[in-house]
């Protein structure tokens, strides 16, 4: 249940859900579990160009700061504003708590990402 | 692979296996393998709030204990610690510190007067060997003996407004008769002569009990407290909540607010330092430092813009010049604010003064606020 099959994953523990040329980006259930109670999210402004593999924001729990890395390049077309007031949504359901919506500039980059099964294996090995 | 080797050398309390059974997230804290939080029972935030509103329990057996015993135990304690131990009555404790000749900190301690010639110093985990070596060396000219008894006890802290009612069910000692920073010996969970101290590191009411450090006894006491506290919503609490609780209460943490390069006046611990009690290690330097005036002082900060000021971040004046640093900072789970303790020059320490904290390249406005950030309401 933890990792939806129709999402793709990074080794930095982000997920991306693609529909056509746009995609939603969030962090994985494993990431929220490792972080613990999330209390702060810093997201880019609308119109920011995300670059695959580069940091686009941060997520903070009470005791840790974690960078967010873009799974793919693209222009930010929407931000999940509700996370600013209620970042605990990420703990409650990391798969639904999307952070940014992007317009993919190079959909080919998705091929380099992990499938749900591969990500699950990766997490198991990492532990 | 290297992490596996490191894990083997970490020290463990007698409750280590129990923490793992409870699903605790473990961390290396000062060389000790300790629970940072217990996700299965709700995690850090829930643990913090349980202590503020109900009751929580902590394994604090990693803390060290030094016994100073002998005809000159008082004189020795006076010489190595900054508070006035002559003011302690039997069964009373106080906050104090071991100082270097420079007036800076070896460690902070709680001194308990067990008896006429008998003082127990409870010290930090990460500084156990250093503290014991320091005390042993410096009390050698007195007619007394210093013993490291840190491994004799499993120390469990039961903290929160419901701590008394929880522990009362497990002891014959009338807890209502133990005042803050006093202690008694009595039967706890069937164990006679157990030390029960009304002390803690949470800025909340609570007790610390010292039970024999064998695994079976330690685990039995832990589970007795767990069972008894159930009706009050007791949860096991890790070092994460311990840190946020003490931060809200502006309690110093070694290596952060106090260290071998920070002196007593800077740390704002004046009221625990009795400069007129007679000579003690660090006194001369502190007198000089007082005459010279403060170069920096510890203040409370509250972020007024979005961002969490964290340990080590730079503090800047309103023009962007670096003026100090954050010694401890976090989201405060009970206050629901982002707060920090920081060292700044006295010229920037007035309540209401605005400073900036550099948070990953961004300057976030913070205001100097009164401390402690949180103060419990005491019973009349």
């Amino acid at each position: 249940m933890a990792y939806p099959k129709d999402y793709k994953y990074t080794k930095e523990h982000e997920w991306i859900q693609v529909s056509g040329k746009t995609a939603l980006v969030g962090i994985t259930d494993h990431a929220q579990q490792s972080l613990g109670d999330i209390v702060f999210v810093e997201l880019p402004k609308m119109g920011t160009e995300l670059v695959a593999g580069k940091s686009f924001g941060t997520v903070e729990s009470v005791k840790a700061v974690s960078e967010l890395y873009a799974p793919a390049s693209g222009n930010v077309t929407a931000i999940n504003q509700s996370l600013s007031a209620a970042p605990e949504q990420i703990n409650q359901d990391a798969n639904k708590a999307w952070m940014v919506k992007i317009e993919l500039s190079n959909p080919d980059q998705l091929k380099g990402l992990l499938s749900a099964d591969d990500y699950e294996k990766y997490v198991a090995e990492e532990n | 692979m290297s992490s596996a080797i490191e894990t083997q050398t970490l020290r463990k309390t007698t409750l280590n296996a129990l923490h793992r059974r409870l699903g605790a997230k473990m961390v290396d804290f000062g060389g000790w393998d300790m629970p940072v939080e217990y996700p299965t029972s709700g995690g850090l935030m829930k643990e913090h709030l349980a202590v503020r509103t109900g009751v929580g329990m902590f394994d604090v057996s990693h803390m060290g204990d030094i016994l100073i015993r002998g005809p000159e135990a008082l004189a020795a304690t006076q010489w190595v610690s900054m508070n006035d131990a002559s003011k302690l009555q039997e069964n009373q404790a106080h906050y104090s510190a071991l100082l270097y000749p420079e007036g800076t900190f070896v460690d902070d301690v709680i001194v308990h007067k067990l008896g006429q010639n008998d003082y127990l110093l409870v010290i930090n985990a990460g500084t156990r060997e250093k503290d014991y070596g320091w005390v042993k060396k410096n009390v050698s000219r007195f007619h007394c003996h210093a013993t490291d008894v840190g491994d004799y006890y499993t120390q469990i802290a039961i903290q929160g407004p419901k701590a008394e009612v929880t522990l009362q069910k497990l002891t014959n000692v009338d807890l209502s008769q133990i005042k803050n920073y006093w202690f008694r010996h009595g039967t706890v969970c069937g164990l006679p002569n157990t030390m029960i101290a009304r002390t803690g590191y949470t800025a909340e009411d609570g007790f610390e009990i010292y039970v024999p450090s064998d695994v079976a006894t330690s685990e039995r006491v832990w589970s007795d407290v767990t069972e008894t506290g159930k009706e009050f919503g007791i949860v096991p609490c890790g070092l994460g909540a311990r840190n946020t609780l003490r931060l809200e209460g502006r309690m110093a943490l070694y290596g952060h607010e106090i260290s071998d390069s920070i002196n007593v006046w800077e740390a704002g611990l004046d009221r625990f330092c009795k400069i007129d009690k007679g000579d003690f290690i660090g006194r001369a330097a502190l007198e000089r430092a007082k005459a010279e005036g403060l170069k920096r002082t510890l203040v409370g900060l509250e972020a007024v813009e979005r961002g969490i000021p964290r340990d080590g971040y730079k503090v800047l004046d309103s023009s962007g010049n670096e003026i100090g640093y954050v010694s401890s900072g976090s989201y405060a789970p009970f206050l629901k604010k982002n707060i920090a303790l920081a060292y700044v020059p006295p010229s920037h320490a007035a309540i209401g003064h605005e400073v900036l904290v550099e948070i990953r390249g961004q300057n976030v406005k913070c205001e100097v606020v009164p401390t402690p950030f949180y103060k419990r309401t005491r019973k009349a």
Side-chain angles (χ1 to χ4, degrees):
Chain A
M1 88 113 235
Y3 310 114
K5 299 279 184 203
D6 57 330
Y7 291 14
K8 294 275 200 176
Y9 299 87
T10 70
K11 289 187 174 177
E12 287 78 35
H13 310 288
E14 288 84 16
W15 56 255
I16 183 166
Q17 181 189 22
V18 180
S19 58
K21 283 216 71 181
T22 66
L24 297 175
V25 176
I27 64 167
T28 67
D29 190 54
H30 171 76
Q32 71 77 18
Q33 273 182 37
S34 327
L35 278 163
D37 296 310
I38 292 169
V39 293
F40 189 83
V41 184
E42 189 168 34
L43 298 174
K45 293 191 173 65
M46 297 268 282
T48 304
E49 286 292 338
L50 302 196
V51 180
K54 298 276 192 255
S55 169
F56 68 91
T58 51
V59 55
E60 301 190 39
S61 66
V62 179
K63 48 184 206 310
V65 181
S66 184
E67 298 271 345
L68 298 166
Y69 295 98
S73 301
N75 191 283
V76 176
T77 57
I79 301 154
N80 187 349
Q81 301 284 6
S82 73
L83 293 180
S84 155
E88 65 275 12
Q89 292 174 79
I90 301 164
N91 293 117
Q92 287 154 3
D93 192 345
N95 294 325
K96 284 215 180 93
W98 63 278
M99 293 174 172
V100 292
K101 187 176 191 178
I102 59 173
E103 183 85 32
L104 295 171
S105 56
N106 184 0
D108 278 354
Q109 289 168 340
L110 299 169
K111 290 175 190 156
L113 299 176
L114 301 173
S115 68
D117 288 346
D118 290 345
Y119 177 71
E120 200 164 353
K121 270 182 219 143
Y122 173 72
V123 167
E125 281 163 19
E126 211 186 25
N127 288 346
Chain B
M1 288 296 110
S2 64
S3 68
I5 293 160
E6 282 162 22
T7 308
Q8 284 172 5
T9 62
L10 284 180
R11 296 170 75 175
K12 296 180 164 100
T13 73
T14 50
L15 291 167
N16 189 277
L18 184 140
H19 300 314
R20 290 180 175 278
R21 287 203 301 278
L22 289 173
K25 210 182 277 179
M26 306 295 283
V27 290
D28 173 357
F29 178 78
W32 289 77
D33 185 43
M34 296 299 290
V36 65
E37 62 176 333
Y38 300 81
T40 43
S41 53
L44 196 163
M45 202 94 87
K46 187 174 171 195
E47 294 164 26
H48 183 113
L49 297 176
V51 171
R52 286 277 177 262
T53 61
V55 57
M57 62 194 293
F58 304 75
D59 174 16
V60 288
S61 310
H62 59 314
M63 305 280 292
D65 309 88
I66 300 171
L67 201 55
I68 301 178
R69 176 173 279 178
E72 291 187 333
L74 173 59
T77 303
Q78 290 286 61
W79 173 242
V80 296
S81 65
M82 69 181 194
N83 207 332
D84 186 356
S86 74
K87 291 285 193 314
L88 288 175
Q89 296 178 43
E90 228 165 275
N91 291 328
Q92 191 181 14
H94 65 199
Y95 181 79
S96 186
L98 311 174
L99 303 179
Y100 288 112
E102 293 77 17
T104 59
F105 294 88
V106 179
D107 196 8
D108 58 351
V109 299
I110 298 190
V111 178
H112 302 72
K113 183 175 181 176
L114 301 178
Q116 204 50 46
N117 300 318
D118 218 350
Y119 292 82
L120 178 72
L121 277 50
V122 176
I123 59 175
N124 280 302
T127 51
R128 274 170 71 157
E129 281 68 33
K130 181 185 80 167
D131 291 8
Y132 176 59
W134 179 258
V135 169
K136 200 173 165 65
K137 184 177 93 184
N138 285 290
V139 304
S140 62
R141 68 184 178 92
F142 297 92
H143 191 192
C144 69
H145 189 75
T147 318
D148 178 359
V149 295
D151 290 338
Y152 294 9
Y153 303 111
T154 286
Q155 188 181 339
I156 298 172
I158 301 150
Q159 303 279 303
K162 298 289 185 193
E164 182 180 320
V165 61
T166 300
L167 187 58
Q168 189 61 76
K169 290 172 185 276
L170 297 166
T171 179
N172 60 349
V173 174
D174 181 358
L175 298 178
S176 69
Q177 296 305 305
I178 306 180
K179 286 182 283 190
N180 200 30
Y181 272 80
W182 287 71
F183 60 92
R184 291 278 176 87
H185 284 78
T187 300
V188 178
C189 302
L191 301 164
N193 202 29
T194 300
M195 185 164 129
I196 309 166
R198 197 158 204 150
T199 52
Y201 192 52
T202 58
E204 209 57 66
D205 186 24
F207 297 86
E208 293 178 294
I209 57 173
Y210 297 73
V211 302
S213 65
D214 68 277
V215 174
T217 305
S218 305
E219 289 197 357
R220 183 175 65 76
V221 171
W222 181 277
S223 70
D224 283 358
V225 177
T226 304
E227 280 306 309
T228 308
K230 250 181 194 156
E231 61 178 300
F232 309 111
I234 200 166
V235 290
C237 302
L239 295 179
R242 188 166 160 82
N243 185 52
T244 50
L245 287 159
R246 70 93 197 167
L247 177 61
E248 285 185 344
R250 195 207 204 250
M251 301 172 93
L253 174 62
Y254 190 83
H256 293 251
E257 286 69 42
I258 57 174
S259 76
D260 59 7
S261 62
I262 296 166
N263 77 35
V264 174
W265 313 137
E266 292 171 329
L269 295 171
D270 309 30
R271 71 191 172 100
F272 305 103
C273 182
K274 300 297 190 279
I275 206 92
D276 299 325
K277 71 169 184 172
D279 202 13
F280 60 92
I281 303 170
R283 182 186 172 198
L286 287 176
E287 283 181 328
R288 282 195 302 277
K290 183 143 259 178
E292 283 164 17
L294 278 179
K295 291 178 187 67
R296 58 181 175 176
T297 186
L298 188 67
V299 294
L301 298 179
E302 184 182 316
V304 290
E305 292 180 326
R306 271 171 54 80
I308 305 175
R310 290 183 185 271
D311 307 13
Y313 289 4
K314 286 176 190 165
V315 178
L316 317 171
D317 66 15
S318 50
S319 325
N321 305 303
E322 186 173 346
I323 54 166
Y325 69 97
V326 171
S327 55
S328 298
S330 174
Y331 174 76
F334 184 75
L335 302 171
K336 301 196 183 345
K337 289 170 179 170
N338 296 317
I339 60 170
L341 291 170
Y343 276 105
V344 298
S347 54
H348 291 78
I351 303 295
H353 188 83
E354 198 173 277
V355 295
L356 302 169
V357 173
E358 189 186 309
I359 302 180
R360 295 182 299 279
Q362 282 178 29
N363 295 342
V364 172
K365 269 187 205 162
C366 294
E367 189 183 299
V368 176
V369 296
T371 54
F373 304 97
Y374 167 83
K375 202 166 184 186
R376 73 185 156 104
T377 46
R378 285 167 195 265
K379 279 182 287 187

